[in-house]
Each structure stands twice: as structure tokens, then as C-alpha cells.
Amino acid sequence: MIARKPVVGVALGSGSARGWAHFGVLRALREAGIQPDIVCGTSIGSLVGAAYAAGEMDRFEEWVLGLGMRKVFGFMDFNLGSGMLKGERIIEFWREHFVQETMEELAAPFGCVATDLHTGAEVWLRKGSIADAVRASIALPGLFTPVIRDGRLLVDGGLVNPVPVSLARAMGADVVIAVDLNADLMRRNRNAVGMGAAAARPGKPQAQQAAEPEPAFTDLEPPAGMFHANVPPMGWSGKWKSSMTSVKSFSSSVLKRGIHKSDEELQQNIPSLLNVVMSSVNIMQMRITRSRMAGDPSEVLIAPKVAHIGLLDFHRAREAIDEGYAAAKAVLPSLKDWGV
């Protein structure tokens, strides 16, 4: 058999403003001499991916870095219909200044994912206007109005396939580099409910907190060795006592973290309607991503730590890009194992 260079595809995931991290990922790959043969994206991943496939990534990134809150607000064409925003103003600007081509005109194959609002079917967009396809892929329900395309009512592809590994494979990729912007969300949620070191030990001086050791368990999972799959509950008293000790330690660590809050405390921190919707989208996409990636894992996974960036924090591009760059640099050595 004749060895050949593997076809490399990138699957850029959804995550709204966190998606600016894709610029950092693609830049790190380019600096390492890795030129993806296939580019796929969902939602914000389709926006950045299309600019990359059209050779406009650098100009688009420069423009994104200049976004301030005032400019972001200026692109919001408010609407009283089926979405808070029409989404036409930003797409028309993007089409006029960055990508006018059709998908057939691109040098590198490009595809993006949308969702059929009526049937729930996953829709792969691989032909026609790039801007129209991207507009459908980013149509987050409740935020942007749906898009009518080929007799279908389309919304954000993150509802069904937040990290489009399957599309990259269908387009011929041998090695898929996936970028998951949702992997870090659980850490943010834990911190938000008092999972940090300082929150776990309220009322103590900071110096004393720093001197105290962290609890033994960093996740809400039973510690290793708590349960023994091959040991009957009443057998081997030594093992049983050891397990019970672990249970008590785990319970104590959970209580120290202050996970359970009173109803009064929760009542004081009820989020706004928009935050409820955005948090719900976060949870949905995180769960769907885990399920899809378990069934069809990528060869290489890049997971930038961008949970601290809100879905609508488009003005925080520098932070997101830097996190994407750092995450990609960390996994570059693993690409050598795949001949990339």
C-alpha cells in the first residue's frame, strides 16, 4: 500500500461570542504548518470557518478585535417577530466586506449545519450563497429570526450538532480536529454556585484561605475507590470500612463547598429572561455535544477555556482568541501521531 497524507478537516463548534476563540485555534494551526483540507462549522463556527475558507480570516479577525459594545449594539436590528433580532444587518455587512462567494467558488471545501425547525432534522448546507448558509446556521432561536431556505424554516445548527464532526467525515476528512466551546461550561457553573476556594470558606481572611488545603475532590463525582464493582457489600470488612470512610469524606467535602443554598439566597439571584434562555442554550449544547462526541469522537479535540465569556460578549474577542490559541498550541504534539 502507498502511504498518503491524511485529509485533515476542522469542525468548528457553536458558542456565540465564545466562537471568536476559533480565530486563535486556526492561527495556531497555521503557524504549525497545518492547512485544513476541509472546513466545517456550526453557528459562530460557520461564520469564522467561512471567512477562513474564503481567505479572509485575517481581515475579519482584525475587524472583530475592533468591536466595542457600542458597535455591537449598532448591528442589532431589533424585531418583534419570531426572534429578538432580524440578523440581517450583520450578515449584509459581512457579505459586503468579507465573503461574497458561493460555496462552489471556495478553494477549500466548506460546509455548515442548520436545523429544520419543523422536523428537527439536521441540515447540511454545502451549496449556494455562503452568507445565506451562515445566516441560517447562526439563527439561535429566540435571538435571531429563522431563515427560509429551499422550502425549509432553518434555525441554529447547534440544536442538533454543536460540533460538526460527522459533517467533516462525510466530506472526506480522515483526521478531524474538533473545537468544542462548551466543554468548560460546567466549571463555570460550579464556580457560580460557590464552588471556588474562597466561596467554600466564607468569612476567613484570604491569607488563611490560601494556607488551607483544597478539598480532596474537585468534581461532584464519588472519589476513586468509593465503590468496588467486584466486592459484595457485606464482604471484606476492611474494604467496606474504607469505602464508608470515602463516602463520609466525599459528603463532608460537598457540604464544605456550599453547593446547597437556601431558597432566600436563590430568590435574590434569579437571572433575567435573557440569561435564563442563554443558560438553557448552554446546557442543551453541552449535553448534545457530549452525546454526539461519544458516538463519533474526533481524532483531536481542542477545548478552549472560554466559559467566562458570555454568549453575547462579542466585544471580548481578544480574550477568546487568546484562549483558543493557547488551547490549540497545547494539543499540537498529538497531531503528529496522526501523520499531520
Side-chain angles (χ1 to χ4, degrees), residues 24 29 41 48-49 59 76 141 143 160 168 189 251-252 267 286 302 338:
L29 294 177
V48 177
R59 284 205 313 122
M76 294 184 178
L143 184 62
V160 290
N189 292 342
S251 301
S252 176
Q267 185 68 34
M286 179 187 66
I302 300 174
W338 297 99

Side-chain angles (χ1 to χ4, degrees), residues 23-36 52 55 57-58 61 332:
F23 285 117
V25 170
L26 293 169
R27 183 170 299 281
L29 294 177
R30 185 169 66 184
E31 289 179 359
I34 299 170
Q35 186 78 21
Y52 178 85
M57 189 187 80
D58 291 337
E61 180 182 3
L332 284 176

Side-chain angles (χ1 to χ4, degrees), residues 211-257:
E212 292 183 13
E214 284 292 303
F217 313 119
T218 56
D219 291 310
L220 292 181
E221 300 289 344
M226 178 186 290
F227 303 113
H228 305 274
N230 299 319
V231 179
M234 298 305 295
W236 294 4
S237 59
K239 290 283 189 179
W240 178 250
K241 291 179 181 178
S242 175
S243 292
M244 290 301 99
T245 300
S246 297
V247 170
K248 291 178 181 178
S249 299
F250 176 65
S251 301
S252 176
S253 70
V254 168
L255 291 175
K256 285 181 180 179
R257 292 170 181 273

Side-chain angles (χ1 to χ4, degrees), residues 266-300:
L266 292 173
Q267 185 68 34
Q268 293 173 1
N269 295 289
I270 292 179
S272 66
L273 172 61
L274 183 60
N275 283 336
V276 169
V277 172
M278 295 296 99
S279 294
S280 300
V281 170
N282 280 339
I283 294 169
M284 174 195 67
Q285 294 194 354
M286 179 187 66
R287 294 296 183 182
I288 294 173
T289 300
R290 286 184 176 184
S291 178
R292 295 292 301 251
M293 295 288 283
D296 188 11
S298 60
E299 280 67 35
V300 177

Side-chain angles (χ1 to χ4, degrees), residues 64-94:
V64 165
L65 285 170
L67 280 176
M69 293 186 67
R70 184 185 298 274
K71 188 177 290 187
V72 170
F73 188 80
F75 281 107
M76 294 184 178
D77 42 2
F78 291 98
N79 176 58
L80 297 178
S82 54
M84 190 173 73
L85 303 173
K86 293 180 181 179
E88 301 300 331
R89 187 175 297 172
I90 181 63
I91 284 296
E92 284 305 316
F93 176 87
W94 186 75

Side-chain angles (χ1 to χ4, degrees), residues 8-69:
V8 178
V10 291
L12 306 179
S14 61
S16 197
R18 294 191 293 268
W20 297 148
H22 292 313
F23 285 117
V25 170
L26 293 169
R27 183 170 299 281
L29 294 177
R30 185 169 66 184
E31 289 179 359
I34 299 170
Q35 186 78 21
D37 304 293
I38 295 169
V39 181
C40 299
T42 295
S43 195
I44 189 71
S46 69
L47 185 70
V48 177
Y52 178 85
E56 294 288 350
M57 189 187 80
D58 291 337
R59 284 205 313 122
F60 187 39
E61 180 182 3
E62 182 180 356
W63 179 81
V64 165
L65 285 170
L67 280 176
M69 293 186 67

